[in-house]
Amino acid sequence: MTDDVAVDFGEDGLVPAVAQDADTGEVLMLAYVSPEALERTRETGRAHYYSRSREELWKKGATSGHVQDVQEIRVDCDADTLLYLVDQEGGACHTGHRSCFYRTIEGENVGEQVFDPDAVYE
């Protein structure tokens, strides 16, 4: 048995976390995680993040129903970034796209919109 890696949450108490589709490898989103969010994710198996704009714990899919079931949590070599390998229910992005990375830097839409955000976030 091994010991848990001590995650370095830094001065602001947050680390970035990349959510990646566990089956396809598609990068779905990036968000921030507090110690409490990481603890809740590990306890429930569902992705939790910390909303910097709302300054609160955020359960992914609480409003939309588009939850992330976390299959594995990885930590990078410096222990200051997390990778959530997830099974994504519906879309990961609040714009209705499967991934938050749905457009190129030139503005070309290359991603799939999987739900209508106006219908979900009334």
Side-chain angles (χ1 to χ4, degrees):
M1 179 150 169
T2 59
D3 293 327
D4 284 356
V5 174
V7 176
D8 180 2
F9 287 95
E11 291 182 22
D12 64 358
L14 300 172
V15 295
V18 175
Q20 181 180 31
D21 187 289
D23 293 328
T24 68
E26 179 183 21
V27 175
L28 300 172
M29 59 179 273
L30 178 132
Y32 289 86
V33 171
S34 64
E36 181 185 8
L38 179 57
E39 183 179 325
R40 293 290 309 224
T41 298
R42 294 182 76 185
E43 286 174 356
T44 67
R46 292 262 168 104
H48 287 73
Y49 300 99
Y50 183 83
S51 171
R52 296 181 303 167
S53 59
R54 295 188 312 261
E55 297 183 348
E56 65 184 15
L57 186 68
W58 157 45
K59 178 182 175 186
K60 178 68 177 155
T63 302
S64 67
H66 300 162
V67 298
Q68 293 175 340
D69 288 318
V70 179
Q71 302 306 307
E72 186 175 10
I73 301 172
R74 295 187 185 176
V75 61
D76 78 335
C77 56
D78 295 323
D80 63 1
T81 303
L82 300 175
L83 175 66
Y84 283 2
L85 297 174
V86 304
D87 287 333
Q88 175 69 52
E89 189 78 32
C93 186
H94 72 280
T95 65
H97 290 84
R98 171 133 175 92
S99 168
C100 292
F101 300 96
Y102 64 89
R103 57 189 171 178
T104 67
I105 195 72
E106 291 84 17
E108 179 185 358
N109 189 334
V110 294
E112 177 187 9
Q113 192 165 34
V114 294
F115 72 93
D116 177 2
D118 292 336
V120 172
Y121 304 111
E122 291 182 39

